[in-house]
Amino acid sequence: YPKARLFSFCSRCKTKVYPDELPNTSVVIVFHNEAWSTLLRTVYSVINRSPRYLLSEVILVDDASERDFLKLTLENYVKNLEVPVKIIRMEERSGLIRARLRGAAASKGQVITFLDAHCECTLGWLEPLLARIKEDRKTVVCPIIDVISDDTFEYMAGSDMTYGGFNWKLNFRWYPVPQREMDRRKGDRTLPVRTPTMAGGLFSIDRNYFEEIGTYDAGMDIWGGENLEMSFRIWQCGGSLEIVTCSHVGHVFRKATPYTFPGGTGHVINKNNRRLAEVWMDEFKDFFYIISPGVVKVDYGDVSVRKTLRENLKCKPFSWYLENIYPDSQIPRRYYSLGEIRNVETNQCLDNMGRKENEKVGIFNCHGMGGNQVFSYTADKEIRTDDLCLDVSRLSGPVIMLKCHHMRGNQLWEYDAERLTLRHVNSNQCLDEPSEEDKMVPTMQDCSGSRSQQWLLRNMTLGA
Ligand SMILES: *[C@@H]1O[C@H](CO)[C@@H](O)[C@H](O)[C@H]1NC(C)=O
Ligand SMILES: *[C@@H]1O[C@H](CO)[C@@H](O)[C@H](O)[C@H]1NC(C)=O
């Protein structure tokens, strides 16, 4: 690996002083058919850039790799390293979740640090993480994830201005750190960022707390969804989740994964997502189901053990999480409708037609199947589908789908539940049926009270 990197990510981080007495950590790394160079780069960077007394051991969990050099060659190699490196072999492909559970069970450190197998820890990565856990053992901490190019291995510092969120499809996404979180830290960017969710690959957690809070959902397969499950669980059950901005770990972002998903990627992730929606999201799981209606057919197994865990830990409802931890979520805490928006005269429905950001919203025959025809009119008076909001920036349209910005402005709509009109506040015009020129998109017209300007907003029920 390249010679020591001394980053000046943030000069004020360099002068921070951490307590001498920090808890020690086991580092658990799961790998499956990992390349020799990237795996060893991860291990060496852990050993060389962690104070020896803070590093209890490195545990490598082999999730049934097939490559020969990952067998005896690896075992012999790690014997010569100056830190104990334990190798655990899964008997069969078990996936990240079960392999991490095995590694955690074998670990002895006071803290468990999970890393991916293609990382590079930077100098000073560990102390800020452990110091935060020492301050509050119920805080689960993530480093800033720097980007290592999978083409050139170029190293690029990650941003301390984004944090973890998710969309209606339950995909993890990075979003800008909102102003309220900047304000809470009084502008001190060396203080940890409270993040609604984590990416999942890299984090540290107090060993006992990991047990108390219910480790992972062992009913989940392979990979996917476990990071959101853990994020919701930590917040709802009294812990907190933070990005420690003075800790940097590089990660190789791969275009292709050597992982295979027995049963198909989509199926595995849908199953895992259903488990987390059923256990943690209460009625807000509807957002997930309605936007991806095929998912309800996926069998998700038995979640009773996880529901009991939620009860025993006296965890708070998902609405509490949305209100207090993630008010800028793509899922609105309060809303008027979640379902189709149907024109009274033509009986057609708003439809995003699989279009993307910056394109016009469409209109099409109503199909009642959710997906592209699902919009929510929120208590903040946005008309949104997932993270896109209907936006009008000129008199007489067009009506574009843009990233929701929560700033009202061009995304503010007034629904009159008696007249059934959707009035765009800034332009004072009403949403209307398509014109003769383009029958696929709605238009904006002066409000006239005509039937073509009347819209029914529904709460759709699943399977209806
Ligand atoms: C980790 O810390 C605990 C508590 O101080 C200690 O008992 C244990 O020996 C340490 N482990 C290692 C490997 O340093
Ligand atoms: C739709 O459901 C939401 C959430 O349960 C509720 O607050 C709202 O009043 C409902 N709207 C209609 C039109 O029934």
Side-chain angles (χ1 to χ4, degrees):
Y1 67 93
K3 68 180 181 355
R5 301 176 197 276
L6 234 185
F7 286 101
S8 47
F9 297 112
C10 165
S11 52
R12 291 187 47 213
C13 284
K14 283 202 237 170
T15 55
K16 278 212 156 188
V17 178
Y18 298 101
D20 288 334
E21 297 264 307
L22 291 174
N24 55 35
T25 186
S26 299
V27 174
V28 173
I29 299 167
V30 172
F31 65 94
H32 173 73
N33 286 344
E34 188 67 36
W36 178 264
S37 58
T38 46
L39 180 61
L40 268 291
R41 172 187 184 149
T42 309
V43 173
Y44 269 114
S45 72
V46 168
I47 294 175
N48 292 356
R49 294 177 186 160
S50 309
R52 181 63 190 86
Y53 73 102
L54 293 181
L55 189 57
S56 169
E57 67 201 331
V58 175
I59 298 181
L60 299 177
V61 187
D62 174 13
D63 188 11
S65 298
E66 290 124 11
R67 297 180 176 170
D68 254 350
F69 59 80
L70 295 171
K71 308 272 155 67
L72 261 184
T73 316
L74 180 65
E75 263 164 51
N76 289 330
Y77 191 91
V78 300
K79 276 182 197 144
N80 301 321
L81 299 175
E82 60 196 275
V83 169
V85 178
K86 202 181 287 172
I87 301 183
I88 296 174
R89 311 269 184 195
M90 304 301 284
E91 297 76 37
E92 52 176 1
R93 259 315 285 297
S94 310
L96 180 82
I97 298 158
R98 287 168 209 147
R100 279 189 167 180
L101 283 171
R102 185 78 74 82
S107 70
K108 299 218 165 61
Q110 295 160 294
V111 167
I112 305 173
T113 298
F114 292 102
L115 294 181
D116 279 350
H118 31 269
C119 287
E120 180 183 328
C121 302
T122 63
L123 277 175
W125 74 290
L126 187 58
E127 296 90 330
L129 297 175
L130 299 178
R132 188 66 189 116
I133 291 175
K134 182 189 164 84
E135 261 172 32
D136 178 358
R137 62 181 287 276
K138 294 187 172 180
T139 303
V140 178
V141 288
C142 312
I144 288 198
I145 306 172
D146 297 329
V147 178
I148 304 176
S149 155
D150 70 341
D151 283 330
T152 61
F153 281 82
E154 183 190 358
Y155 197 104
M156 291 158 280
S159 171
D160 66 346
M161 301 296 277
T162 60
Y163 77 174
F166 59 94
N167 61 19
W168 290 9
K169 299 192 177 94
L170 300 184
N171 302 121
F172 172 86
R173 289 282 180 272
W174 296 104
Y175 292 104
V177 175
Q179 193 58 43
R180 69 182 153 78
E181 182 59 12
M182 300 298 227
D183 295 346
R184 189 188 65 83
R185 297 187 298 153
K186 300 191 172 64
D188 183 351
R189 286 167 64 176
T190 70
L191 293 180
V193 174
R194 287 157 63 94
T195 180
T197 70
M198 64 169 156
L202 331 175
F203 66 95
S204 298
I205 185 167
D206 177 273
R207 203 171 181 299
N208 296 329
Y209 184 59
F210 183 61
E211 295 288 332
E212 278 165 46
I213 196 87
T215 63
Y216 275 112
D217 176 358
M220 286 189 174
D221 292 335
I222 312 291
W223 176 86
E226 85 291 345
N227 57 328
L228 295 190
E229 193 272 345
M230 194 168 210
S231 307
F232 298 165
R233 179 155 47 85
I234 288 165
W235 281 119
Q236 287 174 242
C237 308
S240 56
L241 183 57
E242 295 182 349
I243 297 169
V244 173
T245 51
C246 286
S247 170
H248 280 251
V249 175
H251 178 263
V252 183
F253 286 85
R254 300 181 290 195
K255 290 185 194 75
T257 163
Y259 259 74
T260 53
F261 285 76
T265 319
H267 180 83
V268 168
I269 293 177
N270 286 338
K271 172 184 168 177
N272 292 354
N273 282 343
R274 281 209 72 181
R275 292 182 69 87
L276 83 93
E278 290 294 328
V279 176
W280 298 103
M281 293 179 72
D282 306 326
E283 66 272 25
F284 294 93
K285 69 186 176 189
D286 287 352
F287 284 85
F288 170 53
Y289 288 150
I290 281 179
I291 196 124
S292 34
V295 181
V296 276
K297 296 192 198 87
V298 175
D299 178 19
Y300 60 92
D302 181 3
V303 292
S304 56
V305 174
R306 300 306 281 178
K307 286 192 163 167
T308 308
L309 172 81
R310 181 175 165 171
E311 267 167 40
N312 290 345
L313 293 173
K314 301 190 170 52
C315 307
K316 298 190 179 84
F318 199 71
S319 58
W320 174 89
Y321 169 81
L322 289 180
E323 184 126 7
N324 296 280
I325 305 305
Y326 199 12
D328 48 321
S329 165
Q330 312 308 324
I331 291 183
R333 162 78 181 84
R334 292 193 180 77
Y335 55 94
Y336 177 81
S337 65
L338 172 63
E340 60 188 30
I341 297 187
R342 181 189 286 256
N343 186 279
V344 170
E345 185 168 78
T346 65
N347 245 327
Q348 289 194 313
C349 284
L350 289 189
D351 191 319
N352 83 19
M353 307 181 106
R355 290 178 182 144
K356 299 197 180 69
E357 193 181 350
N358 261 318
E359 298 184 34
K360 292 179 194 167
V361 72
I363 191 160
F364 201 68
N365 295 338
C366 304
H367 54 51
M369 310 266 282
N372 287 343
Q373 293 189 352
V374 167
F375 293 83
S376 182
Y377 180 58
T378 70
D380 294 332
K381 305 191 173 185
E382 311 162 306
I383 304 172
R384 61 153 69 217
T385 178
D386 204 346
D387 56 357
L388 299 179
C389 277
L390 296 199
D391 188 300
V392 177
S393 59
R394 287 203 312 267
L395 210 57
S396 302
V399 190
I400 305 284
M401 295 180 295
L402 283 185
K403 279 268 150 60
C404 301
H405 53 46
H406 309 281
M407 312 277 279
R408 303 162 77 84
N410 289 337
Q411 298 184 352
L412 186 65
W413 299 80
E414 194 71 58
Y415 183 58
D416 184 326
E418 272 161 32
R419 295 202 186 113
L420 305 182
T421 50
L422 274 168
R423 185 173 61 89
H424 181 254
V425 174
N426 263 6
S427 65
N428 200 27
Q429 288 188 314
C430 283
L431 189 70
D432 206 326
E433 64 179 16
S435 66
E436 283 302 314
E437 292 93 74
D438 189 350
K439 293 199 177 311
M440 304 293 273
V441 296
T443 58
M444 295 301 298
Q445 309 284 347
D446 291 336
C447 300
S448 66
S450 72
R451 269 166 70 81
S452 64
Q453 292 184 355
Q454 294 182 348
W455 301 88
L456 293 174
L457 274 52
R458 290 257 172 86
N459 270 340
M460 213 144 125
T461 46
L462 289 166

